[in-house]
Amino acid sequence: SSLLPKTVLWILDCINSECPLCLPGLILFFYFVLYLFLAGMFSFCMYMMLLTLSPYTPTHRDRVSPPGVMIRPYLHGFTIAFNVSEPSTWKPYVNSMHHFLQAYNNNVQEEKNIECQAGQYFIQDGAESKEKKACQFKRSQLHSCSGIEDPTFGYSTGQPCILLKMNRIIGYRPGYGTPVSVDCAIQKGNASALRSVDFYPGNGTFDLMYYPYYGKLTHVNYTSPLVAMHFTDVKKNDFVPIQCRLNGEGIVSDVNKDRFLGRITFTLSITM
Amino acid sequence: GLTSARAAEILARDGPNALTPPKSTPEIIKFLKQMVGGFSILLWVGAFLCWIAFGIQLAQGVSSAFDNLYLGVVLALVVILTGIFAYYQEAKSTNIMASFSKMIPQQALVIRDAEKKEVPAEQLVVGDVVEIKGGDRIPADIRLIFAQGCKVDNSSLTGESEPQSRSCDFTHENPLETKNIAFYSTTCLEAFLPGTATGMVINTGDHTIIGRIASLASGVGNEKTPIALEIEHFVHIVAGVAVSIGVLFFIIAVSMKYKVLDSIIFLIGIIVANVPEGLLATVTVSLSLTAKRMAKKNCLVKNLEAVETLGSTSIICSDKTGTLTQNRMTVAHLWFDNQIYSADTSEDQTTQSFDQSSQSWPALSKIVALCNRAEFKPGQGNLPIMKRVVVGDASETALLKFSEVVLGDVMDVRKRNRKLAEIPFNSTNKFQLSIHETEDPNDKRFLLVMKGAPERILERCSTIMINGEEKPLDEERAEAFQTAYMELGGLGERVLGFCHLYLPEDEFPDTYPFDTDSMNFPTSNLCFVGLLSMIDPPRSTVPDAVSKCRSAGIKVIMVTGDHPITAKAIAKSVGIISANSETVEDIAKRLNVPVEQVNKEDARAAVINGMELKDMTAEQLDEILINHSEIVFARTSPQQKLIIVEGCQRQDAVVAVTGDGVNDSPALKKADIGIAMGIAGSDAAKNAADMILLDDNFASIVTGVEEGRLIFDNLKKTIAYTLTKNIAELCPFLIYIIASIPLPIGTITILFIDLGTDIIPSVALAYEKAESDIMNRRPRHKKRDRLVNEQLAVYSYLQIGILQSIGAFLAYFTVYAEQGFLPYTLLGLRVNWENDYNNDIEDSYGQEWTRYQRTYLQWTGYTAFFVSITIQQVADLIIRKTRRNSLFQQGLFRNKVIWVGIFSQITIALILCYGLGSVTALNFTPLRVQYWFVAMPYAILIWVYDEIRKLFIRQYPGSWWDKNMYY
């Protein structure tokens, strides 16, 4: 027993004690020690677990792919309703678009990102930790939906622009060599309600050069490529449900439970 | 007799001649009681909150609204199913009774319209004249108008087993004492009945004496069993914790600016997590398993909860006859040649080993065999002698069996010594006599044999046989006789004297006409041969059982209608009064002082006479019950049993009472556990009792006590096991609310643990063997030794429960981290995470997730959390096998059912995870194999930690650690 450190002896003494005065304190002390130990063990385990993770790529990516789809403007739902003659009804959408497109301003893109060769994946070899270059996606590429010529993105004329964005997935190469394209259609009802949509850039495709994505840590200035949809002739004064889909190899857009996987549904309600 | 028309009239007025069965609760009420008892109310509240939330969310168009509808339905189903289960269990144990009360409809021979008719006994009315033959049950209370040698067995009414003669004479004012009334449900004995008896019905149905007692019994309230109180206490604790945590976090959630609706949903989660939904069903199953085990050991339990009541019994008030004794007279001692010999009185004797070499013995054995009218019923040649049925009274039966054992075929002996004349026993002569030819063809003398009350026999003797020779009966020899007679009488035995005389050949030639009326033969100056004494001997297993009771801290009190001396003798021989204890009277005798001068506290034992008890106040009775540890109540009426039981209950004791007569039923009802005799017991007693002893054997009660104690210990383990994971189910909700992380485990998943993986293991703990000799400790104190005590709750909730939660959270964080959501990203993520419109939430790596992808990940988290709890529950199950001993002392494989439990647990988890992983409503996903092992270190830690706990408990008994950590 002489080999036991003094603290152990003291703890054993405490355990064996019957002194009633020190009891409440002893209980508190006991739980303090126990929880301290558990907290320590938990931290240690978490630390060990985090050590096994790569800071660049998640261990598993099976749940995040294939990609989902989102649109801008995004306020609080998927119904975009406004009255052309009342700017206050569409102003929030326009502001949201402007805010979103800040990162795509030509000068920002030119300053931070490089020009890449279109039509092929921009694969950057080398160490995983090396900082990756990002390709320029200039706001001007969105043409009439860039908000440069028409700062109201067509909302003031009843021809709203909507931006479509494919969710980022590390290492994902959409289309397997063929660019993924976007098309839109009336989801239910009369097809004539949606007579014409213009897509930018390049007829509504996501160029291969923006892929693959290398992750937040190394692909610092990466900006997701966008497809702008200019609804130039939509039935007015009515709710028009529109579904836009991604088309391309490896894209899944028919899962019942996930209505945002490879497709998105929103409603346009433009009042003149 | 009556005319049929008049009888029908009276029948319409008085109702049928049957006892109204005790008012039973309507089935629907019983069922509804199950629906609202225990945790059901809490779960109903949860279900209704769910439906309210569903209604509101549906109106708001929230996509997950239907989840709440389903959850509400599931909760309601859980309540209904467990309710049905409990109801079914209860109904099943009631059915056990149904088989007992199934009575063959009794017929009565009644004179109506001046004709003898057989009618069902139910249709008897007051004024009917009925005929009774031997062996019949008396169909109603009747006044005898003609009776010849009629004897009745009133044991079912009064508990007295002595047959009582009945005649037409009015002998007493009290209807219970007078000889001309025979009571409903008593039996008319066959053996003494040469003629028939005729009587007039004076009371029917509930108006009979038996009916009045039965209604008295149903008036005695049914109190809650100790285990029911314990479970109530436990439900209060858990419900208290659930409601207070629920309300606390409701307030916290509201003050953290959560929407009220969300807060209500949190509240539901907290309730579901806190309530061990499967536990009450598990307890019922455990109890019924024990009940089954007890039934195998001859204790049939009517009311499941009585299983445990027996275990906490601290006083057993036992009958003597049939319970402690074999309920048959047996020759216990012999006296001849001035010497007392002991005979074997065990149940399965085949030979007698006392010294039979004396010359006097053949003479004595011949008298015993010949002077006896009892006979074996024919056709039982291959049965053991002790089991054969005999026609004859108790003493004669004992003597017949005794001589069959020592001599061989008695019938043959009687045939060889042909009987010529006989005077049967009657109460004026107090002797029985017969005259026989001898079996020796050369000996032409006749042999006169006689037996009877020893003092009467001795009076008729002038000589005494010593070593085969007739010696004059001088004063010294008479003194020796008196000493032996007193000694045997002091043992509480019934003593008979035997004598004989060889009639001289010249006076009594071959053709001599013996006439029993004129008694033309000598009946004095006979030769005294010996004494035989008989007793209803204790069952051979009883002394052992009584000493077990004693070491188990259970006080055994004998309550009997018998004579104090017999009662005391049996009490001594079975150990209810131990060898070295004395009663006040014994001390007085030893010290030669008057009884009043003896200090009552010096006497451990007490023999209380029913007459004394009658004059006692409640305080005096209490004093006796407290001061004496070994008590015998003799000459008590069955009504006094109730007083004794109440006295014991005033000492806070849990009282078990045995009984068989109808008169016992109030005491059986009043007792914490009433034990009726399966063989000798009347239906009324069986109805009033909680348990039925199939073999009427006291020793079976003791095995029942053992089982009862074991199940109490094991229920503790089951509850500790079940409560532990509640914390692991609760913590996720609390952290979800406070830290706003995605929900770690869903309510449906929790239900799958509570009602899926955990059920079989918790039942398996009921099969656990005792850790130490549970019959060596005192019975638990009703109010102090709780089923769920503070230590159990604290150890399960705050130590193992927290450990489990941590292990499960590790798995949860691992799943999210490996998919891209590092732990710090999760904090505060909840609102965005649960936003249906936000389909591009960024994880720690910059990837973007749709709502459904997140939901699926959340379910993976649920599954990982679920699997981790399951894995740690395996460890929890293993540590719960013992509370004090090391697992290595208990043995890992002694209880095989535990392994069935573990196997089932893991199989169910595998099926849920991989088999049903594609059914989205269940919220399970096929989990990567490695996640099954994340919580493994914690499972091992749980086991190591508990071993250390147990080690310190064993090392430092009575210490701070022992007091705080032993549950």
Side-chain angles (χ1 to χ4, degrees):
Chain A
S1 69
S2 62
L3 290 176
L4 287 171
K6 267 188 180 168
T7 46
V8 174
L9 280 177
W10 180 75
I11 289 170
L12 285 182
D13 257 9
C14 255
I15 288 169
N16 199 14
S17 80
E18 278 180 88
C19 127
L21 278 178
C22 61
L23 290 187
L26 198 54
I27 286 178
L28 287 180
F29 176 73
F30 170 78
Y31 278 99
F32 177 72
V33 170
L34 177 70
Y35 288 162
L36 202 66
F37 167 72
L38 291 181
M41 179 162 170
F42 181 66
S43 311
F44 174 75
C45 288
M46 286 286 272
Y47 178 72
M48 293 305 286
M49 185 268 288
L50 292 175
L51 275 190
T52 67
L53 301 180
S54 147
Y56 311 108
T57 318
T59 316
H60 306 292
R61 276 163 290 171
D62 52 337
R63 299 271 58 104
V64 71
S65 63
V69 170
M70 255 313 253
I71 53 164
R72 293 291 186 277
Y74 166 67
L75 290 181
H76 31 62
F78 297 106
T79 302
I80 295 167
F82 59 94
N83 191 333
V84 174
S85 49
E86 282 176 44
S88 65
T89 57
W90 45 261
K91 209 67 184 168
Y93 296 113
V94 172
N95 288 344
S96 160
M97 298 275 276
H98 273 299
H99 179 76
F100 178 71
L101 286 174
Q102 289 283 307
Y104 294 86
N105 282 344
N106 288 8
N107 54 345
V108 176
Q109 288 289 324
E110 278 160 11
E111 185 192 325
K112 289 183 175 169
N113 293 345
I114 59 165
E115 276 192 64
C116 304
Q117 193 180 356
Q120 67 181 51
Y121 293 119
F122 180 38
I123 293 165
Q124 305 174 60
D125 293 324
E128 213 183 5
S129 58
K130 213 182 90 189
E131 191 165 323
K132 304 291 189 298
K133 299 270 184 296
C135 297
Q136 290 178 0
F137 188 96
K138 291 183 187 162
R139 192 168 170 166
S140 55
Q141 285 169 266
L142 300 175
H143 298 275
S144 56
C145 284
S146 65
I148 298 170
E149 294 105 57
D150 176 6
T152 67
F153 299 96
Y155 284 78
S156 57
T157 56
Q159 296 176 315
C161 278
I162 286 170
L163 304 175
L164 191 134
K165 176 173 76 74
M166 185 159 64
N167 280 354
R168 284 195 295 264
I169 298 162
I170 292 177
Y172 183 67
R173 299 177 189 186
Y176 302 142
T178 321
V180 171
S181 64
V182 179
D183 68 29
C184 292
I186 294 291
Q187 195 201 16
K188 258 182 230 157
N190 194 354
S192 66
L194 178 64
R195 276 184 288 275
S196 112
V197 191
D198 294 337
F199 294 96
Y200 312 105
N203 255 346
T205 54
F206 293 99
D207 199 293
L208 297 182
M209 67 178 170
Y210 298 105
Y211 303 99
Y213 175 54
Y214 285 101
K216 201 155 110 177
L217 197 61
T218 51
H219 223 160
V220 183
N221 294 317
Y222 182 83
T223 37
S224 295
L226 305 170
V227 165
M229 304 173 291
H230 198 186
F231 294 93
T232 46
D233 194 356
V234 182
K235 191 178 177 199
K236 304 296 188 304
N237 305 323
D238 197 1
F239 284 92
V240 183
I242 297 166
Q243 186 172 64
C244 294
R245 285 174 180 275
L246 300 182
N247 296 305
E249 236 178 293
I251 296 291
V252 177
S253 60
D254 54 359
V255 175
N256 259 337
K257 292 171 210 149
D258 194 349
R259 289 177 297 111
F260 296 92
L261 198 66
R263 58 176 164 161
I264 190 161
T265 310
F266 53 91
T267 308
L268 280 181
S269 166
I270 306 165
T271 320
M272 284 304 258
Chain B
L2 297 173
T3 60
S4 293
R6 176 71 185 137
E9 228 171 80
I10 301 173
L11 186 67
R13 187 191 68 196
D14 291 349
N17 174 34
L19 300 183
T20 12
K23 229 188 279 166
S24 57
T25 348
E27 294 299 301
I28 183 74
I29 301 277
K30 277 192 206 163
F31 184 69
L32 287 180
K33 261 191 182 164
Q34 301 288 1
M35 291 287 162
V36 292
F39 296 117
S40 304
I41 292 274
L42 264 187
L43 292 178
W44 279 123
V45 169
F48 282 112
L49 286 179
C50 275
W51 290 325
I52 292 170
F54 162 70
I56 297 173
Q57 286 190 334
L58 192 69
Q60 291 174 348
V62 180
S63 69
S64 56
F66 280 90
D67 289 357
N68 284 318
L69 175 67
Y70 301 146
L71 183 60
V73 171
V74 168
L75 288 180
L77 270 181
V78 166
V79 180
I80 292 170
L81 286 180
T82 47
I84 289 175
F85 178 77
Y87 172 76
Y88 166 74
Q89 280 293 346
E90 201 189 274
K92 216 168 71 175
S93 53
T94 324
N95 276 348
I96 297 177
M97 262 323 284
S99 60
F100 272 100
S101 46
K102 217 193 301 159
M103 277 193 298
I104 310 143
Q106 203 192 340
Q107 296 287 320
L109 196 62
V110 61
I111 300 172
R112 283 202 189 149
D113 305 328
E115 268 176 62
K116 278 189 194 177
K117 275 186 193 166
E118 283 256 314
V119 299
E122 271 195 12
Q123 292 177 13
L124 287 184
V125 295
V126 173
D128 264 333
V129 176
V130 288
E131 274 192 17
I132 298 145
K133 352 181 255 307
D136 277 356
R137 232 172 64 138
I138 312 282
D141 281 359
I142 55 173
R143 195 181 72 230
L144 293 171
I145 48 181
F146 170 76
Q148 196 183 348
C150 172
K151 283 202 174 187
V152 289
D153 177 3
N154 271 357
S155 62
S156 72
L157 188 64
T158 60
E160 276 175 85
S161 51
E162 284 287 296
Q164 297 182 337
S165 65
R166 281 293 177 262
S167 63
C168 316
D169 309 324
F170 170 78
T171 56
H172 205 285
E173 293 272 327
N174 185 343
L176 278 170
E177 302 279 334
T178 184
K179 286 210 164 190
N180 62 341
I181 292 181
F183 299 106
Y184 180 42
S185 94
T186 60
T187 325
C188 188
L189 289 175
E190 185 175 30
F192 289 84
L193 202 74
T196 56
T198 311
M200 182 182 280
V201 175
I202 51 172
N203 280 318
T204 58
D206 289 334
H207 303 290
T208 58
I209 298 291
I210 282 271
R212 282 180 226 168
I213 293 168
S215 58
L216 180 67
S218 60
V220 175
N222 246 346
E223 275 159 45
K224 277 191 176 151
T225 59
I227 193 74
L229 290 175
E230 287 306 312
I231 287 174
E232 203 170 76
H233 173 240
F234 155 71
V235 168
H236 284 163
I237 289 181
V238 171
V241 170
V243 169
S244 45
I245 294 185
V247 169
L248 179 70
F249 275 81
F250 182 79
I251 293 167
I252 289 179
V254 170
S255 52
M256 281 175 74
K257 305 268 181 326
Y258 280 99
K259 280 185 245 158
V260 174
L261 187 63
D262 285 343
S263 308
I264 287 178
I265 294 173
F266 300 158
L267 183 63
I268 298 165
I270 288 172
I271 291 177
V272 172
N274 251 313
V275 173
E277 287 84 5
L279 189 58
L280 293 187
T282 312
V283 169
T284 314
V285 172
S286 301
L287 286 176
S288 62
L289 283 173
T290 307
K292 258 188 197 161
R293 211 151 44 193
M294 283 166 71
K296 264 187 210 152
K297 293 177 179 169
N298 291 320
C299 298
L300 195 62
V301 178
K302 270 173 60 188
N303 170 7
L304 276 187
E305 287 164 354
V307 169
E308 194 281 325
T309 315
L310 196 55
S312 43
T313 297
S314 52
I315 296 181
I316 300 177
C317 292
S318 176
D319 266 348
K320 180 181 79 72
T321 312
T323 314
L324 296 170
T325 65
Q326 301 172 16
N327 197 18
R328 58 182 173 82
M329 281 307 224
T330 304
V331 175
H333 290 98
L334 304 93
W335 180 80
F336 55 88
D337 295 348
N338 270 337
Q339 201 179 337
I340 290 180
Y341 297 87
S342 294
D344 181 6
T345 55
S346 64
E347 285 95 329
D348 49 358
Q349 46 179 293
T350 48
T351 54
Q352 287 289 358
S353 52
F354 62 90
D355 181 18
Q356 298 169 7
S357 59
S358 160
Q359 292 301 310
S360 311
W361 171 242
L364 180 57
S365 60
K366 189 173 264 178
I367 307 171
V368 173
L370 296 180
C371 187
N372 191 334
R373 287 156 46 96
E375 284 177 23
F376 288 111
K377 276 193 175 170
Q380 310 185 81
N382 43 7
L383 278 177
I385 295 165
M386 288 300 141
K387 294 236 165 73
R388 291 184 204 166
V389 180
V390 174
V391 182
D393 80 350
S395 318
E396 294 225 285
T397 306
L399 293 171
L400 173 64
K401 287 185 172 172
F402 176 73
S403 24
E404 183 87 5
V405 169
V406 290
L407 294 180
D409 194 344
V410 173
M411 291 304 157
D412 190 50
V413 174
R414 289 194 196 159
K415 220 178 278 166
R416 281 185 274 131
N417 299 272
R418 201 164 59 87
K419 194 192 292 176
L420 298 173
E422 180 176 51
I423 301 175
F425 185 88
N426 70 44
S427 45
T428 40
N429 295 343
K430 291 204 190 295
F431 70 79
Q432 178 182 348
L433 174 153
S434 57
I435 299 167
H436 299 260
E437 292 173 348
T438 61
E439 57 191 314
D440 184 356
N442 302 322
D443 190 351
K444 293 289 179 213
R445 292 177 302 171
F446 293 110
L447 175 62
L448 183 150
V449 289
M450 186 194 250
K451 76 165 186 228
E455 65 277 9
R456 294 296 184 87
I457 297 293
L458 197 76
E459 279 168 15
R460 297 174 183 277
C461 293
S462 55
T463 58
I464 182 165
M465 184 175 277
I466 306 284
N467 293 327
E469 285 165 37
E470 278 186 39
K471 297 276 168 68
L473 184 62
D474 54 23
E475 217 150 272
E476 189 189 332
R477 291 191 173 116
E479 185 71 18
F481 158 87
Q482 278 301 339
T483 319
Y485 180 31
M486 291 303 287
E487 188 174 343
L488 295 177
L491 293 174
E493 295 176 2
R494 184 187 295 173
V495 190
L496 287 177
F498 294 81
C499 63
H500 73 186
L501 181 70
Y502 282 97
L503 300 179
E505 204 178 335
D506 43 350
E507 275 179 59
F508 299 94
D510 256 355
T511 52
Y512 187 83
F514 289 104
D515 181 7
T516 53
D517 288 331
S518 61
M519 299 240 246
N520 55 355
F521 44 83
T523 55
S524 55
N525 291 327
L526 311 176
C527 171
F528 191 86
V529 181
L531 293 170
L532 252 72
S533 68
M534 285 163 293
I535 197 164
D536 179 9
R539 290 167 178 267
S540 52
T541 47
V542 169
D544 193 36
V546 170
S547 80
K548 260 191 177 174
C549 280
R550 180 149 299 161
S551 58
I554 302 169
K555 197 160 154 183
V556 183
I557 294 179
M558 182 197 272
V559 182
T560 176
D562 252 335
H563 199 272
I565 295 176
T566 319
K568 191 176 165 191
I570 293 291
K572 280 207 153 175
S573 67
V574 298
I576 288 179
I577 295 179
S578 45
N580 49 3
S581 359
E582 292 177 307
T583 62
V584 174
E585 291 77 16
D586 289 335
I587 296 177
K589 204 170 153 194
R590 177 165 55 84
L591 300 177
N592 215 357
V593 293
V595 172
E596 293 75 33
Q597 287 181 14
V598 177
N599 181 3
K600 280 182 184 159
E601 277 157 34
D602 291 344
R604 277 223 309 232
V607 178
I608 315 290
N609 197 312
M611 301 304 282
E612 299 169 44
L613 185 59
K614 206 189 273 171
D615 303 329
M616 272 184 202
T617 60
E619 289 74 34
Q620 282 171 313
L621 179 60
D622 288 353
E623 203 175 297
I624 287 174
L625 290 171
I626 294 167
N627 286 341
H628 302 284
S629 59
E630 300 167 346
I631 307 175
V632 170
F633 288 97
R635 280 254 176 264
T636 46
S637 68
Q639 281 89 341
Q640 287 179 321
K641 236 185 194 175
L642 187 62
I643 297 169
I644 297 168
V645 171
E646 283 168 343
C648 294
Q649 282 174 334
R650 278 198 297 275
Q651 325 298 321
D652 259 350
V654 176
V655 186
V657 170
T658 69
D660 44 21
V662 175
N663 255 11
D664 291 337
S665 45
L668 289 174
K669 262 259 162 94
K670 180 70 197 168
D672 296 281
I673 177 161
I675 303 168
M677 298 299 139
I679 303 168
S682 59
D683 287 331
K686 285 173 188 168
N687 265 322
D690 305 292
M691 210 179 88
I692 293 157
L693 273 195
L694 293 179
D695 59 355
D696 290 13
N697 188 349
F698 181 80
S700 306
I701 301 179
V702 181
T703 49
V705 169
E706 204 167 347
E707 289 290 345
R709 289 186 172 192
L710 183 59
I711 195 63
F712 185 80
D713 282 7
N714 286 348
L715 281 181
K716 248 186 181 178
K717 295 173 182 176
T718 302
I719 290 176
Y721 168 77
T722 317
L723 285 188
T724 306
K725 55 141 201 299
N726 279 6
I727 284 297
E729 292 167 353
L730 179 67
C731 282
F733 275 94
L734 306 189
I735 294 181
Y736 166 72
I737 294 170
I738 298 206
S740 276
I741 56 174
L743 187 60
I745 189 165
T747 12
I748 301 270
T749 322
I750 287 175
L751 288 176
F752 271 106
I753 299 177
D754 288 0
L755 297 169
T757 56
D758 261 11
I759 289 287
I760 300 176
S762 45
V763 172
L765 281 171
Y767 288 92
E768 199 53 49
K769 303 274 184 302
E771 278 177 67
S772 56
D773 192 353
I774 38 178
M775 293 305 275
N776 269 338
R777 62 178 196 222
R778 304 193 53 74
R780 77 181 179 89
H781 192 280
K782 235 185 346 187
K783 289 178 182 144
R784 280 201 303 268
D785 307 329
R786 313 299 319 235
L787 180 66
V788 177
N789 51 22
E790 192 189 301
Q791 288 89 334
L792 185 150
V794 166
Y795 183 66
S796 302
Y797 275 152
L798 295 185
Q799 298 183 30
I800 301 298
I802 295 286
L803 240 165
Q804 262 192 10
S805 321
I806 291 178
F809 265 106
L810 182 66
Y812 162 85
F813 281 122
T814 307
V815 165
Y816 278 80
E818 294 206 327
Q819 289 283 358
F821 288 94
L822 297 181
Y824 58 85
T825 323
L826 293 175
L827 301 180
L829 189 60
R830 191 192 70 90
V831 177
N832 272 329
W833 182 274
E834 290 177 356
N835 184 345
D836 283 342
Y837 301 116
N838 197 339
N839 281 287
D840 55 354
I841 285 210
E842 232 179 84
D843 65 17
S844 317
Y845 292 86
Q847 304 185 103
E848 290 165 326
W849 295 69
T850 68
R851 171 69 175 126
Y852 184 76
Q853 285 169 338
R854 284 178 338 244
T855 306
Y856 196 85
L857 179 57
Q858 191 176 329
W859 292 344
T860 312
Y862 288 1
T863 314
F865 212 96
F866 162 82
V867 163
S868 302
I869 290 181
T870 307
I871 295 288
Q872 293 178 90
Q873 277 294 78
V874 172
D876 191 23
L877 180 64
I878 290 175
I879 67 165
R880 299 302 183 180
K881 278 166 69 74
T882 59
R883 294 185 294 149
R884 178 188 292 275
N885 287 354
S886 162
L887 271 182
F888 301 107
Q889 288 170 302
Q890 182 80 349
L892 265 177
F893 299 97
R894 278 230 321 244
N895 179 359
K896 305 253 174 353
V897 188
I898 285 279
W899 292 96
V900 173
I902 292 175
F903 181 75
S904 78
Q905 200 167 18
I906 291 175
T907 311
I908 293 174
L910 283 171
I911 291 174
L912 285 173
C913 181
Y914 298 110
L916 303 173
S918 49
V919 184
T920 47
L922 301 184
N923 302 355
F924 282 96
T925 65
L927 199 65
R928 282 194 161 79
V929 177
Q930 60 263 38
Y931 294 139
W932 286 71
F933 300 95
V934 176
M936 215 67 108
Y938 288 87
I940 294 168
L941 180 64
I942 286 175
W943 174 67
V944 172
Y945 179 67
D946 194 63
E947 277 295 318
I948 293 174
R949 177 188 75 92
K950 290 169 188 163
L951 178 73
F952 282 149
I953 286 174
R954 291 194 305 272
Q955 291 286 320
Y956 307 110
S959 67
W960 173 86
W961 184 272
D962 188 17
K963 278 182 201 141
N964 282 284
M965 303 291 267
Y966 181 67
Y967 54 88

